[in-house]
Amino acid sequence: MWLMTDFGFFSIVKKEGEQNLTVRARVKRDLLELKRRYLPGLGAIEETEYADYRYRVRVPREVFAEALTAIALDIDYPNFKNSVAKKQGKGRARAYGDVWQRLYGLQAGDGA
């Protein structure tokens, strides 16, 4: 699952043979903010310099599900991209906007 929030971008997967979920990020600050706001008991952030997601942590599925609930309950903005620009800057908002534009092609019939 990809999770784009106004405080970070995450890729969440379940690695084969592991019970916990792996939450990955390209920007360490994103995981630090996730930990600060929603997962204070999160373990150490691992760094793999040449991985497609450089930073990652492992978290029990139930704990992450509770965090997702809290994230949803904290939504307080009428426009996501404007909230991203305000909280993370215009560069991050542009990056999210690029993803939005590509996905818009699905709606417009440009993609499958």
Side-chain angles (χ1 to χ4, degrees):
M1 167 183 13
W2 282 356
L3 178 62
M4 298 173 80
T5 71
D6 64 356
F7 63 87
F9 166 67
F10 311 94
S11 172
I12 301 94
V13 297
K14 182 184 177 297
K15 301 273 186 164
E16 192 171 327
E18 293 185 11
Q19 293 301 313
N20 290 336
L21 297 176
T22 300
V23 180
R24 309 176 302 178
R26 293 204 162 105
V27 178
K28 186 175 185 179
R29 180 185 56 185
D30 293 0
L31 283 177
L32 291 171
E33 190 65 12
L34 178 66
K35 180 176 182 173
R36 183 185 74 78
R37 293 173 71 165
Y38 300 103
L39 294 168
L42 206 56
I45 295 171
E46 300 171 23
E47 180 177 359
T48 305
E49 186 175 351
Y50 297 106
D52 60 342
Y53 292 93
R54 187 172 186 161
Y55 305 98
R56 60 193 68 220
V57 295
R58 287 171 183 73
V59 60
R61 181 185 303 264
E62 296 78 14
V63 172
F64 189 72
E66 290 174 10
L68 282 177
T69 297
I71 291 167
L73 291 172
D74 282 349
I75 294 172
D76 64 353
Y77 47 80
N79 182 287
F80 175 66
K81 290 179 294 209
N82 289 345
S83 184
V84 171
K86 180 180 176 184
K87 294 178 181 178
Q88 295 190 87
K90 291 180 181 179
R92 179 71 69 105
R94 275 192 301 277
Y96 284 13
D98 290 346
V99 173
W100 178 92
Q101 186 65 44
R102 294 296 299 231
L103 294 174
Y104 182 72
L106 296 175
Q107 177 178 303
D110 296 339

